Amino acid sequence: MNHNRVVCFDLEMCCWNENGVGTTGEIIEVGLAEIDLVSGEIVKRAQYYVKPEHDEVSLFCSQLTGITPRKIEKQGRPLAEVIKSMVKNFGGANKIYAAWGRDDRVLREECQAKGIDMPFNEFINLATLYRIQNRLKDKRIGHKAAQESKGIEWEGRQHSGYVDAYNLAKLALTML
């Protein structure tokens, strides 16, 4: 296990908003940013688009994430291929992965449903860690608000897995 490196990741999923109720479906993007805890730097970034097997990218989802059906059609790959690329380029079970919230659970459930091995074993929920470190107890706080509360500027468009993973890596460097 490499305890000097943590891979921050963020998922974007197919999403809909009907009558004010939001629902999500299959993963359509995985953003990753690896940090080196010794140097205190972001050392690697990647973005993978995933072609959903059952869902479609809605207009609401495109407006929220910037991911269009055309982008998925042109650049998307099956989740199994994306997972292989993640493991090849970022390491699998020998790395610690981290997300804001329970993206590990979302990924695990979709991997299980599709017969794919989970790409990592060790996971840190940075939202929980942030609440503990800042004594917030039951109060929830979003990733962007948490980052801004630490004086770290948000860069880029929110709800892009690539951008969110990068920003999470910047925040994680102050927490780990």
Side-chain angles (χ1 to χ4, degrees):
M1 176 66 60
N2 185 341
H3 291 91
N4 295 324
R5 296 280 181 105
V6 176
V7 179
C8 297
F9 76 102
D10 184 77
L11 305 175
E12 299 301 327
M13 286 85 68
C14 289
C15 52
W16 303 268
N17 189 349
E18 297 173 17
N19 303 320
V21 178
T23 57
T24 58
E26 290 178 277
I27 298 165
I28 54 173
E29 181 192 8
V30 180
L32 302 111
E34 184 172 338
I35 58 175
D36 183 318
L37 297 175
V38 175
S39 69
E41 296 178 336
I42 298 169
V43 294
K44 192 184 305 185
R45 294 175 70 188
Q47 175 181 46
Y48 302 110
Y49 289 109
V50 181
K51 206 173 265 192
E53 292 178 11
H54 307 290
D55 292 333
E56 293 181 11
V57 178
S58 69
L59 178 60
F60 170 80
C61 189
S62 290
Q63 291 170 340
L64 180 69
T65 65
I67 301 169
T68 63
R70 181 178 171 87
K71 187 174 282 184
I72 292 297
E73 187 59 39
K74 287 186 152 212
Q75 298 177 40
R77 298 183 294 146
L79 183 61
E81 287 182 27
V82 167
I83 297 292
K84 283 180 187 170
S85 293
M86 283 173 60
V87 170
K88 178 182 175 201
N89 296 318
F90 289 86
N94 66 325
K95 289 282 181 68
I96 299 167
Y97 279 67
W100 190 266
R102 294 309 308 264
D103 280 11
D104 65 313
R105 192 179 292 159
V106 173
L107 183 61
R108 180 176 290 108
E109 288 172 6
E110 191 162 331
C111 282
Q112 285 176 342
K114 295 180 176 179
I116 303 166
D117 289 335
M118 188 69 173
F120 55 85
N121 298 322
E122 294 290 328
F123 174 76
I124 301 168
N125 179 343
L126 292 171
T128 299
L129 182 59
Y130 182 91
R131 285 197 313 273
I132 291 167
Q133 289 177 343
N134 293 278
R135 307 291 188 259
L136 297 179
K137 294 190 181 177
D138 297 329
K139 185 180 178 195
R140 297 189 63 164
I141 185 168
H143 170 200
K144 187 174 183 181
Q147 183 166 319
E148 290 172 347
S149 79
K150 295 292 183 187
I152 304 166
E153 184 180 344
W154 186 274
E155 297 179 52
R157 176 192 181 128
Q158 198 173 9
H159 301 298
S160 156
Y162 184 69
V163 169
D164 290 356
Y166 172 71
N167 281 296
L168 185 59
K170 292 192 320 181
L171 179 60
L173 283 169
T174 70
M175 297 172 62
L176 301 174

